[in-house]
Amino acid sequence: MQSAPDDLNFETLRDAYGSGVHPRNLIEAILDRIKGYQDQAVFITLLEMEQLEEAIEALLARAPRPNSLPLWGIPFAVKDNIDVAGLPTTAGCAEFAYTAESSATVVDKLVEAGAILVGKTNLDQFATGLNGTRSPYGSPRSVFDHTYISGGSSSGSAVAVAADLVAFSLGTDTAGSGRVPAALNNIVGIKPTPGRVSTSGVVPACRSIDVVTTFANTVSDGLEVQNVIEAHDPTDVYSEPLQTAKLADRPIIGIPTSDTLEFFGNAENQKIFEQTIERAKGLGAEIIQIDYEPFRKAAEMLYFGPWVAERLFATENLMKEQPEAINSAVRQILENAERISGLDVFKGMYEFRRLEKICKAQMTKCDALLLPTTPTSYTVDEMMEKPIELNSNLGYYTNFANLMKRSVVSVPAGFAPNGLPFGVQLVADSHADQAICAFAARLHHASGTGSGRTRTATQSSSISSKQTPSIQIAVVGAHLREMPLNHELTQRGARFIREDKTASNYRLFELKGTTPPKPGLVRDQDYSGDGIRLEVWSLSPDQFGDFVANIPQPLGIGKVMLSDRTSINGFICEPVGLLDAKDITQFGGWKSYQMSRQE
């Protein structure tokens, strides 16, 4: 292949790899595209081809067969407040920068799933802002008009996807940073429920509500990334065990009453929003009105309430020692934070709880809210003239979501006559992340906006709210990667998620007379060890049922406790299978035991 595909959606890339394209050729072409892109403010750190060669060789050594891992060979970028081992983390401030000793949990998961990191992207300094102009490394611009802002704080990450420089990227979201730049660049932004995706290795803005987000061309692509990175992380004190919630195929959708809608004079965006409401009705949604006023008041508290003080956590020393290194707009916000007292914090918490209770009552009337992602957009010059006021306008519909632990998907919805895109967001309950993706994908497809600057038609998504989320299963023996029965998973479309360990009170035995050889996993309350290594895979419910139906005795599927004390479906063994079985617990896992036999 002489060049990378124009559209870097996952299906196109997988087709290219399946037809014989080597990852090296594709990555070289993408690197050339990045270096030739007219906006050189998108990336802060770009890997050299020599570094990328090492990553490609490591991928091929682990998984030589194309598309044999969930994200095999798919190029991505991360916002530069997310650690990557051996690379600087700047958070948009050279004076703050440090070289990361290890990668953030999310980066490790993506690389393990086969994705190839090409660089780290620009951002509003310390992830404080929604506009993309608050960086000493330049201001990434809208892919449709370079006189306009790209949105922030995940500015570079959004532009990198919209300009087809990478297939997906990671951002972060405190006030809307994983959604506003998605809307302003005609791409999808998935903002998970706080605690669902690890923030270990991420420079915090407001650590208690920060989330890592995904930018992609389609909801289905973004959902694949989410399925890889979402998991309970014991190293993150705000991480939570995964939960699920459902959404009806014909959901009840709440929209703001007309008196609480605000577009700051942008009548064209208002018209597109009205068209989107009609589109949602055509897809089977029942539309009701809700009072957005308590949501708006709660949203104001993120920047004008006590949560501003939390932003000092990462910047306190820099504010004391080198305040001039901080962007003037960001510094103004942090100076306000220094004046917040302990009493102010509690007053703010009490007021927020009052508002949250009212908002929850509103949400009981519907399955999800349909809101503009951002009311309008501004030129870079306009934003520089009024950096605080206009930035606040951008977050009118986004700022409340993380405070209330909501799951959100932002999708493209249309274009104004001036050629600028408009996006909408579906806001649902905590842990409804995957459930809302089905309707969000249908809404995106029905808009006919395409994705990014190409504006080509999106593919119809096969996501079903009844089929998500998929079912995870822990395997410990012959179904592990590179083991003889792994094909029973891959042929059913199973996706490898991660490596993990059982809790300490498990033993592993080599079963007698099995073909191919298999182990049996047994929980022993009187035993304490280092845990047994395993792999977590994901299957659709139908394929999970088919897989389980073919498991031979004495093996079966039950609940296996992991090292973080959460439980997962996994292989267990009936006691009768342990007759004359060999205890191989000391090897720590089936692969280690098999290797010992070959020595």
Side-chain angles (χ1 to χ4, degrees):
M1 183 173 63
Q2 299 301 312
S3 63
D6 289 338
D7 301 321
L8 296 184
N9 62 67
F10 290 9
E11 184 175 354
T12 299
L13 291 173
R14 285 166 178 156
D15 287 346
Y17 286 138
S19 66
V21 170
H22 196 284
R24 183 182 301 107
N25 296 336
L26 186 137
I27 296 299
E28 283 178 343
I30 285 176
L31 200 61
D32 288 343
R33 182 183 292 180
I34 293 171
K35 291 178 178 178
Y37 184 59
Q38 58 182 321
D39 186 352
Q40 287 298 298
V42 177
F43 285 86
I44 292 178
T45 299
L46 188 63
L47 275 69
E48 297 295 333
M49 193 60 209
E50 291 77 10
Q51 296 170 293
L52 292 165
E53 283 274 11
E54 293 179 8
I56 293 167
E57 290 174 4
L59 170 64
L60 295 176
R62 283 195 301 128
R65 185 167 54 86
N67 304 323
S68 56
L69 291 174
L71 300 174
W72 195 95
I74 295 180
F76 76 105
V78 299
K79 186 176 180 178
D80 200 17
N81 61 341
I82 300 174
D83 286 346
V84 176
L87 297 182
T89 299
T90 71
C93 181
E95 291 79 2
F96 173 84
Y98 60 90
T99 299
E101 295 183 0
S102 58
S103 293
T105 300
V106 286
V107 174
D108 281 339
K109 287 182 177 296
L110 292 170
V111 172
E112 187 177 339
I116 299 175
L117 177 74
V118 301
K120 304 188 74 180
T121 54
N122 205 349
L123 67 154
D124 278 334
Q125 196 176 67
F126 297 112
T128 301
L130 289 173
N131 61 82
T133 68
R134 300 175 177 177
S135 171
Y137 297 96
S139 301
R141 309 299 180 98
S142 164
V143 297
F144 298 99
D145 186 336
H146 280 210
T147 65
Y148 277 80
I149 61 171
S150 62
S153 63
S154 308
S155 52
S157 291
V159 172
V161 173
D164 285 308
L165 306 180
V166 292
F168 74 91
S169 64
L170 297 185
T172 61
D173 188 312
T174 306
S177 299
R179 292 164 282 159
V180 169
L184 297 186
N185 290 280
N186 195 45
I187 59 173
V188 170
I190 297 180
K191 187 212 76 67
T193 302
R196 194 173 181 89
V197 175
S198 172
T199 57
S200 286
V202 178
V203 178
C206 293
R207 190 180 179 190
S208 63
I209 58 173
D210 288 342
V211 296
V212 174
T213 64
T214 297
F215 295 108
N217 287 298
T218 66
V219 176
S220 57
D221 285 0
L223 184 56
E224 286 195 48
V225 176
Q226 287 294 122
N227 284 335
V228 168
I229 63 176
E230 62 181 14
H232 179 250
D233 180 4
T235 69
D236 177 4
V237 296
Y238 285 99
S239 180
E240 298 180 357
L242 295 183
Q243 302 174 45
T244 61
K246 295 181 179 180
L247 190 74
D249 282 343
R250 298 173 65 87
I252 300 172
I253 300 292
I255 61 170
T257 54
S258 58
D259 59 317
T260 56
L261 274 172
E262 178 62 75
F263 293 90
F264 299 101
N266 194 325
E268 294 299 335
N269 280 0
Q270 182 171 357
K271 186 181 300 183
I272 299 172
F273 183 63
E274 291 168 355
Q275 292 168 349
T276 305
I277 294 171
E278 294 305 310
R279 200 173 291 137
K281 291 179 181 177
L283 294 173
E286 177 186 345
I287 303 297
I288 66 168
Q289 291 190 331
I290 58 100
D291 180 11
Y292 186 69
E293 185 63 13
F295 294 90
R296 184 194 65 78
K297 289 182 177 179
E300 283 185 346
M301 298 191 71
L302 189 60
Y303 272 104
F304 298 100
W307 281 270
V308 176
E310 194 173 7
R311 291 182 181 270
L312 280 169
F313 178 79
T315 58
E316 183 180 14
N317 291 337
L318 196 64
M319 278 289 287
K320 291 178 180 177
E321 299 168 6
Q322 294 178 275
E324 71 284 353
I326 300 177
N327 173 277
S328 59
V330 176
R331 187 167 66 246
Q332 181 178 338
I333 293 168
L334 295 176
E335 287 170 347
N336 291 335
E338 291 178 324
R339 292 190 280 270
I340 294 174
S341 69
L343 179 59
D344 291 332
V345 171
F346 281 100
K347 285 181 177 178
M349 290 171 60
Y350 299 155
E351 174 61 11
F352 173 73
R353 288 299 184 193
R354 184 187 74 82
L355 291 169
E356 185 182 34
K357 189 172 184 179
I358 298 171
C359 292
K360 283 184 175 179
Q362 291 285 309
M363 290 291 292
T364 60
K365 303 175 183 177
C366 57
D367 296 302
L369 300 180
L370 175 64
L371 305 173
T373 301
T374 193
T376 189
S377 186
Y378 300 102
T379 65
V380 172
D381 290 343
E382 288 171 334
M383 183 58 62
M384 300 301 284
E385 185 178 342
K386 298 180 179 179
I388 303 297
E389 177 187 341
L390 300 191
N391 187 87
S392 179
N393 292 350
L394 294 173
Y396 186 90
Y397 294 107
T398 59
N399 287 1
F400 73 88
N402 282 331
L403 288 169
M404 295 185 186
K405 295 187 178 298
R406 298 295 174 183
S407 53
V408 189
V409 179
S410 175
V411 295
F415 283 86
N418 64 0
L420 294 178
F422 174 76
V424 296
Q425 52 182 341
L426 283 168
V427 183
D429 287 338
S430 301
H431 300 289
D433 304 72
Q434 298 200 31
I436 57 174
C437 282
F439 194 80
R442 293 165 61 199
L443 199 61
H444 181 197
H445 176 67
S447 72
T449 59
S451 182
R453 62 176 178 171
T454 61
R455 296 179 62 168
T456 54
T458 56
Q459 295 149 359
S460 181
S461 175
S462 59
I463 299 173
S464 167
S465 60
K466 292 183 178 179
Q467 293 181 340
T468 56
S470 54
I471 299 175
Q472 293 189 347
I473 183 172
V475 299
V476 294
H479 290 93
L480 295 167
R481 289 174 297 172
E482 301 167 4
M483 292 284 107
L485 296 184
N486 182 250
H487 68 276
E488 292 186 355
L489 287 169
T490 57
Q491 288 178 354
R492 289 178 169 86
R495 295 179 300 99
F496 170 74
I497 303 298
R498 68 182 187 276
E499 294 180 346
D500 212 320
K501 271 188 173 184
T502 68
S504 60
N505 57 342
Y506 279 86
R507 291 181 182 272
L508 193 68
F509 294 82
E510 180 184 26
L511 303 181
K512 186 176 181 180
T514 57
T515 305
K518 301 180 185 70
L521 183 69
V522 178
R523 187 175 181 182
D524 184 347
Q525 289 290 81
D526 298 323
Y527 175 76
S528 180
D530 295 327
I532 303 299
R533 287 186 291 275
L534 54 80
E535 292 177 359
V536 178
W537 288 71
S538 178
L539 285 155
S540 70
D542 289 344
Q543 293 295 345
F544 177 82
D546 182 64
F547 177 74
V548 171
N550 287 281
I551 294 173
Q553 292 180 314
L555 300 176
I557 298 296
K559 291 296 182 182
V560 175
M561 183 174 291
L562 302 179
S563 57
D564 64 0
R565 313 306 293 177
T566 59
S567 294
I568 189 173
N569 296 307
F571 275 87
I572 57 175
C573 185
E574 296 181 61
V576 68
L578 302 182
L579 297 175
D580 298 323
K582 179 181 179 181
D583 190 337
I584 57 172
T585 306
Q586 69 270 25
F587 292 96
W590 183 246
K591 281 188 177 180
S592 297
Y593 173 64
Q594 293 294 316
M595 290 176 62
S596 73
R597 298 183 64 186
Q598 298 171 9
E599 295 174 352

